[in-house]
Amino acid sequence: MTTPLLETLIARAIDLGLKSSLASPQAASLLASKNQTPEAEAIIRASNQLTADYKACLKEIEVAVPQQYGSLRNQIVDQVRKAMKKQPGMRKWRCKVCHFIYDERIGLPRRNIRPSTSFQDLPEDWECPECDVGKGQFVLDQG
């Protein structure tokens, strides 16, 4: 049985988990780049803070109901995953030739394609970075 306080904590954890999951790929991309602008540093700090807040919220749940924590954490993670799948621009595309995966959340920083760039927004002449086939050889990855 959950209390209103526990329900609020669970909802907050799901929200923070989703926000953290959405921010992490962009922050990782910026960390990998050598060009650390003040804007990039602010994005990285915000992503790190979201992750810290998410972990702190999970800890509050663990303290509140230690015997139920494992089950609740699994439910929270499942809800975050479901929410991520519903996000626009959060899909993966697989090359039918070489099986390269283009993940819209991550983009292709080494090719100057920013995180959250949808597959449809890639240039029409874009080619697979592994085998050089065109966009027409990619399918939505269901896995």
Side-chain angles (χ1 to χ4, degrees), residues 1-18 54 57-58 60-62 64-65 68-69 71-80:
M1 184 170 143
T2 60
T3 65
L5 175 61
L6 185 57
E7 288 176 12
T8 300
L9 281 174
I10 291 168
R12 183 168 177 255
I14 292 167
D15 182 57
L16 288 169
L18 176 61
Y54 174 59
C57 190
L58 289 176
E60 285 183 61
I61 294 169
E62 182 180 23
V65 286
Q68 294 177 293
Y69 175 69
S71 172
L72 289 173
R73 184 181 183 287
N74 289 340
Q75 290 175 23
I76 291 165
V77 170
D78 286 345
Q79 290 297 318
V80 169

Side-chain angles (χ1 to χ4, degrees), residues 30-64:
L30 291 169
L31 276 170
S33 75
K34 301 296 182 206
N35 187 10
Q36 294 297 314
T37 65
E39 179 188 48
E41 291 173 3
I43 291 169
I44 292 165
R45 276 194 307 278
S47 176
N48 289 342
Q49 186 61 55
L50 283 168
T51 301
D53 291 348
Y54 174 59
K55 289 178 179 178
C57 190
L58 289 176
K59 187 65 177 172
E60 285 183 61
I61 294 169
E62 182 180 23
V63 168

